[in-house]
Amino acid sequence: MSFSPLTNQLIDALQCLPGVGPKSAQRMALHLLERDRDSALVLADVLRAAAEQVGHCRLCRTLTENEECDICQQSRRDRSLICVLETPADVLAVEQAGGYRGLYFVLLGHLSPIDGIGPEDLGIDRLLERAADPAVKEVILATNPTVEGEATAYYLREHLKPCAVRVSRIAHGVPLGGELEYVDGSTLAHAFSGRTEVVDE
Amino acid sequence: MSFSPLTNQLIDALQCLPGVGPKSAQRMALHLLERDRDSALVLADVLRAAAEQVGHCRLCRTLTENEECDICQQSRRDRSLICVLETPADVLAVEQAGGYRGLYFVLLGHLSPIDGIGPEDLGIDRLLERAADPAVKEVILATNPTVEGEATAYYLREHLKPCAVRVSRIAHGVPLGGELEYVDGSTLAHAFSGRTEVVDE
């Protein structure tokens, strides 16, 4: 015995959400059906609209329903800088940190031969085209400090060599507010090898 | 700065799901848009279909898209027993435990004057009608052993008195497989006050 066929279908469909297993999907389905059908209908409409209409920015590949995203359209951005990130969430994080005023390029993933994700899936051709523009002075590689992120950064560094741009990688080191005692060994090793000279002002 | 308007709407809409806050909603929205649009469309369709078509069983009020649910339709059920439960998930739990072969009545909640939930919201009239049927011999109150569940069971006991049915409450006591040392005091007190005599066989 289980729930009615449509309820079971809903429980199954909810499991496409990351971090949602059978038990939470059941809880979600029953909550919506018992108490919140209006929200369920709103969610259904928004899901359909977003899945059908949200596309990728022509320039930076981030998610947008317009041809170009808000950031690429802003005239006050420094168009000589391109920061390469893995996901739209990373764009939000960098924007919220403040300080960076250049443009972005979103790979929507990282190189992962095991999962069949190659350079063409990450739009790297388009990045190289953009980097070849003489207006671009620097490409900042800000992929994640993971094995795949580092491999992607390495691949990009090699392929950006022919372009007349400076290529940089974000610094790895001890996070602010952390205590050395609790920082992992490889981060600490990076912090030592990437040390900068203290200069008297 | 944040995401595109439709992406933001999706992140907001996903927060109608229980246990989903802004961070998990963002993760879910980006996962669906970056990697799994087909599932998003399926989920949208199923959500709409379920919210529009799943109704309540005419007899027991559980969720079903038919007039009567599967259990109420089964001819092999013992129609002299009605077990009163709070939610469709409780029906599943009792069915999976096995052993019970009677019918159900699902309150879809419990009495909670603070939230404005009264007897009419729980379909108690319909339960009393069913209990008045001479074919019904016993009503088993299996609301949760919480303050609201107990209050609901007490209310039902009082209102079932005029009906010519036996009214029973599921036993409270030490759960099987538990250790006395870790059982809370009120459960232990219930286990003592509800002790049954050991009879030689």
Side-chain angles (χ1 to χ4, degrees), chain B residues 85-197:
Chain B
L85 294 167
E86 292 189 22
T87 71
D90 295 337
V91 175
L92 187 64
V94 174
E95 285 292 299
Q96 282 174 345
Y100 180 70
R101 306 306 303 158
L103 296 177
Y104 293 96
F105 188 87
V106 181
L107 299 169
L108 296 171
H110 44 234
L111 290 177
S112 178
I114 286 179
D115 303 312
I117 301 173
E120 61 285 356
D121 300 304
L122 305 181
I124 290 179
D125 289 357
R126 214 171 330 161
L127 172 62
L128 297 178
E129 270 170 39
R130 281 184 68 188
D133 180 339
V136 175
K137 303 280 177 251
E138 180 172 353
V139 174
I140 302 168
L141 303 176
T143 52
N144 288 329
T146 57
V147 174
E148 295 88 352
E150 292 292 351
T152 308
Y154 182 82
Y155 179 94
L156 289 172
R157 203 172 61 191
E158 292 301 304
H159 285 73
L160 284 165
K161 270 183 187 163
C163 302
V165 286
R166 210 183 135 200
V167 178
S168 59
R169 179 91 175 102
I170 49 165
H172 295 343
V174 180
L176 297 190
E179 290 180 52
L180 281 198
E181 189 179 344
Y182 301 110
V183 170
D184 66 293
S186 49
T187 300
L188 215 47
H190 265 293
F192 273 86
S193 67
R195 66 190 179 279
T196 53
E197 202 179 333

Side-chain angles (χ1 to χ4, degrees), chain A residues 4 37 45 48 54 65, chain B residues 4 6 37 45 48 54 65:
Chain A
S4 75
R37 296 203 183 207
D45 287 343
R48 172 161 291 282
V54 175
E65 46 269 30
Chain B
S4 76
L6 259 179
R37 296 203 183 208
D45 287 342
R48 171 161 291 282
V54 174
E65 47 270 31

Side-chain angles (χ1 to χ4, degrees), chain A residues 90-110:
Chain A
D90 295 337
V91 176
L92 187 65
V94 175
E95 285 293 298
Q96 282 174 345
Y100 180 71
R101 305 308 303 160
L103 297 178
Y104 294 97
F105 187 87
V106 181
L107 299 170
L108 297 170
H110 44 234

Side-chain angles (χ1 to χ4, degrees), chain A residues 143-176:
Chain A
T143 51
N144 288 329
T146 56
V147 174
E148 294 89 353
E150 293 292 350
T152 308
Y154 181 82
Y155 179 95
L156 290 173
R157 202 173 62 193
E158 293 300 304
H159 284 74
L160 283 164
K161 269 183 187 164
C163 304
V165 286
R166 209 183 135 203
V167 177
S168 59
R169 179 88 175 104
I170 49 166
H172 295 342
V174 180
L176 296 191

Side-chain angles (χ1 to χ4, degrees), chain B residues 1 3 9 21 35 41 48 88 94 135 170:
Chain B
M1 185 268 170
F3 300 105
Q9 275 180 43
R35 271 185 288 270
L41 290 171
R48 171 161 291 282
V94 174
I170 49 165

Side-chain angles (χ1 to χ4, degrees), chain A:
Chain A
M1 185 267 169
S2 64
F3 299 105
S4 75
L6 259 178
T7 314
N8 285 331
Q9 276 180 43
L10 180 56
I11 294 172
D12 287 346
L14 282 166
Q15 293 178 51
C16 73
L17 298 171
V20 175
K23 265 285 171 191
S24 3
Q26 177 185 314
R27 192 164 133 250
M28 289 172 172
L30 294 178
H31 171 86
L32 291 176
L33 292 176
E34 287 170 31
R35 273 186 286 272
D36 209 358
R37 296 203 183 207
D38 292 344
S39 301
L41 290 172
V42 169
L43 178 56
D45 287 343
V46 175
L47 264 173
R48 172 161 291 282
E52 286 176 349
Q53 292 167 36
V54 175
H56 298 290
C57 172
R58 189 173 63 86
L59 291 172
C60 77
R61 303 218 326 151
T62 197
L63 295 168
T64 176
E65 46 269 30
N66 302 319
E67 208 185 338
E68 288 183 15
C69 72
D70 284 356
I71 294 180
C72 287
Q73 282 181 31
Q74 284 168 7
S75 56
R76 66 175 188 279
R77 289 275 166 174
D78 179 350
R79 294 183 174 267
S80 67
L81 289 175
I82 297 177
C83 172
V84 181
L85 294 167
E86 292 188 23
T87 71
D90 295 337
V91 176
L92 187 65
V94 175
E95 285 293 298
Q96 282 174 345
Y100 180 71
R101 305 308 303 160
L103 297 178
Y104 294 97
F105 187 87
V106 181
L107 299 170
L108 297 170
H110 44 234
L111 289 178
S112 178
I114 285 179
D115 304 312
I117 301 174
E120 62 286 357
D121 301 305
L122 305 180
I124 288 178
D125 288 358
R126 215 171 330 161
L127 172 62
L128 296 178
E129 272 170 38
R130 282 185 68 188
D133 180 339
V136 175
K137 302 279 177 255
E138 179 171 354
V139 174
I140 302 168
L141 302 177
T143 51
N144 288 329
T146 56
V147 174
E148 294 89 353
E150 293 292 350
T152 308
Y154 181 82
Y155 179 95
L156 290 173
R157 202 173 62 193
E158 293 300 304
H159 284 74
L160 283 164
K161 269 183 187 164
C163 304
V165 286
R166 209 183 135 203
V167 177
S168 59
R169 179 88 175 104
I170 49 166
H172 295 342
V174 180
L176 296 191
E179 291 180 53
L180 281 200
E181 188 180 345
Y182 302 109
V183 170
D184 67 292
S186 49
T187 301
L188 214 48
H190 265 293
F192 273 86
S193 66
R195 66 191 179 275
T196 53
E197 201 178 335
V198 179
V199 185
D200 283 333
E201 278 160 18

